[in-house]
Every structure is written in structure tokens, then in C-alpha cells.
Amino acid sequence: MFPEAAAVTEAPRPRVVLIDDEEMVRLSMEQALQLAGIAVEAFESAEAALPAIARDFAGIVVSDVRLPGSDGLALLAEIRRRDPELPVVLVTGHGDIAMAVAAMREGAYHFIEKPFVNDAFVEVVRRALEKRALVMENRRLRDALDRGDARGNAVERCLVGQSPAMRRLREDVASLASAAADVLVLGETGAGKEQVARALHEGGSRAAKPFVAINCGAIPESMFESEMFGHEAGAFTGAGKRRIGKVEHASGGTLFLDEVESMPLALQVKLLRVLQERRVERLGSNTSVPVDLRVVAATKEDLGALSEAGRFRRDLFFRLNVVTLTLPPLRERREDIPLLFELFLVQAAVKYQRPVIEVPPSLRRSLMLADWPGNVRELKNAAERAMLGFLGPDLAGVTGAAPGLDALLDRVERLIIEDTLKVSGQRIAEAARLLGLPRKTLSDRMKRLGLGAGD
């Protein structure tokens, strides 16, 4: 009845396949989506559209119910045969509502009644695309596992996100995972630096060996040396028996030093020796023990500046800084927020044994506009509160007081300018042209918003 989907050789791109036989209506919907920054491929019939839809099609389908030839219900049935997880949004006239409701029972994602408000239409499409992104992300993980690609699967599982920054980070981690080099991970509090370390460990040849994490800021200085390097029986009062330290325990695997900037200066000398010689000497012993480990250190501080100020050993900084990976804060990869929030909701549903909740548009907008000073950790907490019913559409009780109108407008303006700069290749003159602003006006606004102002 329908032609089969054409083989897809390039990476799937998220877009909307739009089907409507009325040219003016089709052009109007196409324009509304394009103005919202959503890629569209339009067709006048189901038969013409279906070859573009393969199982790895990363987008969604928007279709009128009444079509020449095969109608929207037949289209829905065919799409569900090919891919039951592909969202289909049906557009219907008033007389077809009963048909659309029946289609919802058959698995349609949503239906919109004509005439509709463009903003509402775009919001439904965005939500459907976000759901599709989650499905495709999960498929990639499952496919990697099925192929036996456990290492690649581990990197994708640890570092979730489809923003350009996260894609680049995953590529860097995958290329470094089996290398012997120590790594320094930079990032704000809660950004997920330990996840980067776990991805390096689980994605490499050391995955079957221990991953030992130490929070250097959480260990009392008096216990630090024993905790890190171990001790012999009788090394100090209360040391009744030999204790293997974290460094020795990590031999064969990965040692993760979180908040390494908090390590006492006196212990930094001993750590430097361990890193250089790959041998550790327990407290109270005169014999060193060889260790085979990879060290991943993480910090939210500028270690170079701390070393200049005498608060961190310069030689240790140079030794740790063999390869540096930078994890961007959540506010710089806002396109990852909906996907991460949906994943955390699923995790929270399992944790609290509750059904996954639907994210209302008002909450989705607030999530995208929030600054998230606590980054991914804060977003995960927000998802748990949402699952428990303690998260409102203004994020009250999670990110502090709801921002005022001026703050919200600044955030929206910042997002628009950032997106336009990406499209223009960071060329301010071109961005100003696209926005319909004089270059000086755009530069002044960028300065006010902290975006810089120079090509």
C-alpha cells in the first residue's frame, strides 16, 4: 500500500515531516515551524511523505487527518507498523474530532484542532521532538550494547546530551578512554565532573578494575595521608592493623580526585611523587609498593591562578595538566535540559515507584530559562521534586524565588542572541543583520548580557 522508506546513509537529523494537501495551510504551518527554528520537509500526501521516514528517522510527523488517497488514520497505522515510538501529531477540523480521539487511542501523540494558535502548535511539536530525542538516545545506548560495544555504550550512558558541546566531549572522552594519560577535568560544581571520570574509566581498558573516588575537600587533614596512602600497623596511635590506602586500592583501575584544589599542600608533595614514580609508600613503612593507575583530577578552580598565588603546587599542577577536558555548565547547553530532565524523571519514577509524569509547557519553559547555578545536580533534584509534587511551573522552592519579568526578558534575549551568533558563525555584523538590528545596538546588548562584543 505504501512505499517503503528509503535507506538512510547519513546521520539522522531531527526535523518535522509535514503532510497537508491544502497548499496555503501547508505553507502556513511550515512557516510557523521554520520561524521557531524547526526544520521542516513538507508533502501533499502520505504516499509522497513515507519514503522519507525510516526507523532511524530522528524527527516527528505532523499530518492532516483528511488527505487524498490514504488518510491520516491509515498513515498512523503504517508509521506504527514501522516504528511504534515515532510521534505523530494529527491536525483536524471540528468535524473530525471523534476520528482524532480514536487515533489517540491507536497511538497518535497529539491532535490539534483547526484553526489553531501558532504558538500552541509549535509547543506541541517541540514536546514531540523532545520525546523523540529521548527515544533515539535510548536506542543508541541499546544498539551499542547489542553490538557488544560496551565501551562506547559506557561513554554515552555517562555523558548524556545532544548539544554540540556534549557531542564534542563524548568524542574526546572516547578517544582518551584507553590512553594512559592522566586527565584534568574542569567544570562548575554539580556539572558532572565525576561522570566524565567514570566515562573515561568505563569506556577504556581499565573498566573491569576499581574506580576509586576521593573527595579531597571532605577528608579531615589529620586523616588525609592515611586515607590516601594507607598505613602499617602501629604507624600511629589507634593504627591496630595495616590499612591499604585509596591510591593502592585503585591499582589497575582509575583514581578520581575530586576537588583536588582542596588537597593540603603538605600532601601534594607526596601525591606528586606517586604520580611521577607510580609507587606508593604506606605511612610507617620504608618500602614502596608499585601501583598501576590512571589519575583523573577534577576542579572548579583555576589551578594555574592558585599556583601563582602559592595555594597549589605549581609542579603538581603541571603534572596533572597532561590533558584537560572542560565540562560546560548547564546554562551553556540549554538544549540538553529537556532530555536530561526527562531522564531524571524516569529515574525518580523508578526510585519512588511512581508513574512518569507529563511535563507541562509552563514548567518546560521555566526549566529552559532557569540559570541552574547547581547545574546537572540541581536539575536532577528538580526532577525528583517534580515527581513528588513539590515543583511548580515557576520552579519555586528549587532555584529560589521566581525571577522577575526583567530577568526573564534578559534570559530570553540572551538565548536569542546566542542562537543567532551560532548561526552566523560568531560574526556580529551578520548576527545584527539577521536580527534586524544596528551592529552597535547588538554590541551594546551583548555587553549588558555579558556576551562580549567583538568579532
Side-chain angles (χ1 to χ4, degrees):
M1 177 177 171
F2 289 112
E4 286 298 323
V8 177
T9 57
E10 61 180 19
R13 297 173 300 159
R15 68 185 190 279
V16 174
V17 165
L18 174 65
I19 310 167
D20 198 299
D21 61 317
E22 295 184 43
E23 184 178 7
M24 293 305 296
V25 174
R26 187 171 67 248
L27 289 174
S28 175
M29 289 193 292
E30 186 176 4
Q31 184 178 46
L33 293 174
Q34 287 175 339
L35 288 173
I38 299 171
V40 187
E41 192 172 1
F43 300 90
E44 61 181 14
S45 70
E47 291 83 356
L50 275 165
I53 304 170
R55 189 177 184 277
D56 58 355
F57 172 60
I60 67 164
V61 175
V62 176
S63 175
D64 193 12
V65 171
R66 298 287 185 184
L67 292 170
S70 301
D71 63 16
L73 294 183
L75 170 68
L76 173 65
E78 174 63 15
I79 288 175
R80 287 188 60 75
R81 183 186 71 81
R82 295 182 180 188
D83 186 349
E85 295 179 296
L86 199 162
V88 177
V89 177
L90 296 176
V91 181
T92 175
H94 180 71
D96 295 325
I97 291 180
M99 182 187 297
V101 171
M104 293 284 288
R105 295 196 191 101
E106 296 300 318
Y109 175 79
H110 207 288
F111 75 89
I112 299 177
E113 183 183 358
K114 299 176 185 177
F116 51 77
V117 177
N118 281 347
D119 287 348
F121 169 58
V122 170
E123 180 63 31
V124 168
V125 169
R126 285 194 191 281
R127 287 167 53 194
L129 284 168
E130 287 164 5
K131 179 179 180 180
R132 185 60 170 170
L134 182 62
V135 167
M136 299 303 286
E137 180 81 1
N138 288 336
R139 274 188 193 167
R140 276 189 291 273
L141 297 179
R142 289 197 301 267
D143 290 346
L145 189 60
D146 291 342
R147 292 193 308 267
D149 186 9
R151 294 178 185 174
N153 177 59
V155 173
E156 292 207 8
R157 185 181 65 248
C158 292
L159 302 175
V160 175
Q162 292 305 311
S163 63
M166 288 305 293
R167 289 178 184 271
R168 286 193 298 271
L169 181 61
R170 278 200 298 269
E171 290 174 0
D172 291 342
V173 168
S175 66
L176 287 170
S178 293
D182 296 334
V183 178
L184 180 63
V185 183
L186 309 180
E188 294 181 4
T189 298
K193 296 186 290 296
E194 183 169 343
Q195 289 300 105
V196 176
R198 288 190 178 276
L200 286 164
H201 175 74
E202 295 177 16
S205 56
R206 296 176 178 269
K209 299 296 184 178
F211 176 86
V212 179
I214 301 176
N215 187 328
C216 299
I219 302 175
E221 186 169 352
S222 59
M223 298 174 58
F224 207 104
E225 186 170 7
S226 174
E227 189 75 14
M228 282 281 290
F229 308 113
H231 62 256
E232 297 289 347
F236 53 86
T237 303
K241 59 181 181 179
R242 172 186 288 176
R243 185 180 188 280
I244 300 300
K246 299 288 190 183
V247 174
E248 192 173 346
H249 179 58
S251 186
T254 301
L255 178 68
F256 175 54
L257 302 175
D258 197 10
E259 297 186 27
V260 70
E261 73 277 4
S262 303
M263 181 177 288
L265 283 168
L267 272 298
Q268 291 180 24
V269 179
K270 194 163 186 178
L271 175 63
L272 178 62
R273 178 173 294 179
V274 170
L275 295 181
Q276 289 174 336
E277 300 178 1
R278 282 331 199 231
R279 302 184 70 87
V280 62
E281 189 174 299
R282 303 186 196 107
L283 191 63
S285 173
N286 293 321
T287 304
S288 61
V289 179
V291 289
D292 169 26
L293 50 81
R294 179 200 216 153
V295 176
V296 180
T299 179
K300 61 181 181 297
E301 304 287 348
D302 182 343
L303 293 186
L306 291 181
S307 66
E308 290 289 341
R311 294 166 53 197
F312 196 86
R313 289 189 62 93
R314 183 189 296 269
D315 47 7
L316 179 57
F317 167 59
F318 289 143
R319 185 62 187 79
L320 290 172
N321 195 28
V322 177
V323 178
T324 300
L325 296 175
T326 300
L327 183 58
L330 198 54
R331 63 182 175 276
E332 292 182 7
R333 48 187 182 102
R334 293 181 187 272
E335 56 266 61
D336 290 336
I337 291 174
L339 175 60
L340 285 167
F341 192 74
E342 294 277 2
L343 287 174
F344 293 148
L345 278 179
V346 172
Q347 293 173 1
V350 173
K351 179 179 179 180
Y352 297 113
Q353 298 184 349
R354 297 188 176 191
V356 178
I357 62 174
E358 180 75 15
V359 182
S362 56
L363 175 56
R364 196 175 297 271
R365 286 192 293 271
S366 296
L367 291 169
M368 292 292 287
L369 290 171
D371 278 338
W372 301 110
N375 289 292
V376 177
R377 184 182 300 153
E378 184 182 5
L379 182 66
K380 185 174 184 178
N381 290 341
E384 294 209 2
R385 294 195 185 201
M387 181 58 63
L388 295 172
F390 290 99
L391 181 62
D394 60 355
L395 299 181
V398 178
T399 60
L405 178 60
D406 288 343
L408 285 174
L409 291 174
D410 281 350
R411 292 177 190 177
V412 173
E413 185 176 7
R414 182 187 180 97
L415 286 173
I416 293 171
I417 292 175
E418 286 177 338
D419 287 346
T420 307
L421 285 169
K422 289 179 184 177
V423 171
S424 69
Q426 303 300 320
R427 298 190 301 274
I428 293 181
E430 176 63 12
R433 186 189 69 79
L434 292 171
L435 291 168
L437 295 173
R439 175 175 173 144
K440 185 178 185 308
T441 300
L442 178 58
S443 296
D444 290 344
R445 292 187 181 183
M446 289 173 63
K447 287 178 183 177
R448 178 173 60 80
L449 295 168
L451 292 173
D455 280 323

